[in-house]
Amino acid sequence: MLILGIETSCDDTGVAILRDNEVLCELLSSQIKFHADYGGVIPEMAARKHLENLLPLVNIALSESKISGRELDLIAVTRGPGLMGALMVGVQTARALSQVWGVPLIGINHLEGHIFAGCEGLKPPFLSLIVSGGHTEIITVRDFGDYELLGQTRDDAAGEAFDKGAKILGLKYPGGPEIEKLARSGNSKAFNFPVPLKNSGLVEFSFSGLKTALLWQVKKFASSEELQANMNDLCASYQAAIIEALIAKIRLAVKLTGIHQVSISGGVSANGALREALRREKGFTISLPELKRCTDNAVMTALAGQNRYLREGITNSEVIADPSLHEI
Ligand SMILES: Nc1ncnc2c1ncn2[C@@H]1O[C@H](COP(=O)(O)OP(=O)(O)OP(=O)(O)O)[C@@H](O)[C@H]1O
Ligand SMILES: [Mg+2]
């Protein structure tokens, strides 16, 4: 089966062509450098950049895969959740290509995409922790297509905690990779940040209090030199609190469900310290995406699309962008 995957939910334009599970071509145009000056993603600019990049990427992917659009068996496009303008570019382009080439089109929930990024080789049931810029949640995958939300964040997502924490520290966007880099030469025990909801007994996360704790700590420094002198330790301690919160809730979810396979995906799953801490865990096995598939990409959209198509066929021929789509 030849599948074209298209992902434009936020600031990455992703295109991938798969033959069954084999990736023939995988392209990603990141917009980070255009948004970095503003400290976050500007929705209008994201949509315009997708518009510039998407069709050229589709053309390159087809020619690198040595196929024509009409040979495709399926187009899978992310239809939500995400930024409205950004999603619309992907969905409208996919609808047009589907019409022109006479190829079936399937709309995919971005979160189902993230699940598929992290679960290669896993057989359900398993737990899926999606930990990204917009989401932090644990889902029970009873089967593909049969998902139950076990719990999620009450406020900020973990990726948002990295991004907002970095902003407080005067670091670049996106904050996750910046904090990770500086944390490598810092002491994670130098500052005692709270691990939110650690012992609450609920599969729930909260990161806004942690962010405030960082802000208060930064305000205590008398000068920017003092902040700089403590920067690596701050990053290491802040990152450690986020990691501890994530791992505590995975342990709890494993205990509550009796499911011992866990997949982790989304941008924060690229964090080296988190990956190392997870590998040290006993009591459950973990499955992590390779680094390039942690953040948004179209391979995950194509895999989710293929799986859904083989399960259900086309259930809704009119694919519509939905920025607040939640139920997978
Ligand atoms: N090495 C890292 N360590 C920690 N966080 C990271 C790392 N790399 C990326 N991130 C974080 O991952 C997030 C981006 O991930 P992703 O692209 O999956 O999210 P998104 O698509 O913006 O959100 P969502 O998938 O929820 O809609 C950012 O918040 C970024 O700071
Ligand atoms: Mg994402």
Side-chain angles (χ1 to χ4, degrees):
M1 197 177 168
L2 277 172
I3 312 126
L4 167 66
I6 294 178
E7 158 61 48
T8 64
S9 67
C10 190
D11 61 342
D12 290 304
T13 316
V15 169
I17 295 182
L18 272 65
R19 177 177 283 122
D20 300 325
N21 288 338
E22 181 200 355
V23 179
L24 299 184
C25 181
E26 171 177 14
L27 301 171
L28 194 76
S29 169
S30 166
Q31 304 176 4
I32 282 178
K33 63 175 186 289
F34 301 107
H35 298 285
D37 287 348
Y38 304 93
V41 177
I42 309 289
E44 167 72 15
M45 199 196 310
R48 285 169 186 261
K49 291 285 166 200
H50 288 310
L51 209 49
E52 280 169 28
N53 292 327
L54 183 53
L55 276 177
L57 288 185
V58 169
N59 281 328
I60 297 169
L62 289 171
S63 84
E64 288 200 355
S65 307
K66 298 186 177 51
I67 59 164
S68 76
R70 288 177 201 282
E71 287 175 72
L72 290 165
D73 298 296
L74 183 69
I75 301 174
V77 63
T78 304
R79 77 174 194 94
L83 301 171
M84 186 54 173
L87 289 165
M88 291 249 309
V89 175
V91 167
Q92 293 306 114
T93 305
R95 286 174 63 149
L97 295 176
S98 150
Q99 290 273 323
V100 171
W101 293 332
V103 174
L105 173 66
I106 200 160
I108 289 299
N109 184 310
H110 183 65
L111 297 180
E112 188 173 27
H114 275 304
I115 292 175
F116 274 83
C119 70
E120 201 182 338
L122 280 190
K123 281 212 179 81
F126 60 87
L127 298 173
S128 175
L129 169 67
I130 300 176
V131 65
S132 61
H135 295 85
T136 299
E137 56 188 64
I138 300 184
I139 294 165
T140 306
V141 179
R142 287 191 284 248
D143 201 348
F144 293 119
D146 182 5
Y147 308 111
E148 186 194 356
L149 179 65
L150 262 184
Q152 59 186 325
T153 181
R154 286 186 187 175
D155 39 58
D156 293 348
E160 210 175 340
F162 273 107
D163 295 336
K164 290 180 175 167
K167 203 164 190 175
I168 291 169
L169 295 170
L171 304 173
K172 275 196 317 215
Y173 172 85
E178 291 298 306
I179 289 182
E180 177 180 4
K181 200 166 59 194
L182 298 176
R184 277 188 214 123
S185 23
N187 173 4
S188 63
K189 296 198 168 62
F191 294 93
N192 192 15
F193 288 120
V195 177
L197 301 178
K198 187 175 176 198
N199 300 314
S200 71
L202 300 168
V203 183
E204 272 192 343
F205 304 89
S206 166
F207 295 103
S208 69
L210 175 62
K211 182 185 66 191
T212 310
L214 177 67
L215 182 64
W216 282 114
Q217 181 57 57
V218 167
K219 280 181 188 287
K220 276 189 204 158
F221 295 129
S223 63
S224 61
E225 287 74 26
E226 200 184 344
L227 169 61
Q228 288 311 321
N230 285 282
M231 184 63 84
N232 296 353
D233 288 349
L234 281 171
C235 288
S237 305
Y238 187 72
Q239 174 178 272
I242 297 175
I243 292 175
E244 207 177 324
L246 295 174
I247 292 187
K249 297 305 169 175
I250 297 176
R251 286 191 199 128
L252 178 63
V254 168
K255 191 169 150 203
L256 293 177
T257 60
I259 298 174
H260 296 265
Q261 305 187 96
V262 184
S263 84
I264 297 113
S265 57
V268 178
S269 68
N271 184 279
L274 172 64
R275 293 168 85 95
E276 253 174 58
L278 284 166
R279 290 196 183 105
R280 281 197 301 270
E281 281 295 301
K282 308 259 183 318
F284 56 88
T285 57
I286 56 152
S287 166
L288 284 159
E290 55 180 301
L291 289 181
K292 67 180 175 192
R293 306 256 173 82
C294 290
T295 44
D296 294 347
N297 65 86
V299 171
M300 67 187 200
T301 316
L303 286 171
Q306 173 183 205
N307 190 285
R308 188 166 278 267
Y309 182 71
L310 293 175
R311 270 188 344 250
E312 303 175 352
I314 299 290
T315 50
N316 185 356
S317 57
E318 201 186 10
V319 176
I320 294 172
D322 181 352
S324 48
L325 182 68
H326 199 81
E327 280 294 300
I328 305 180

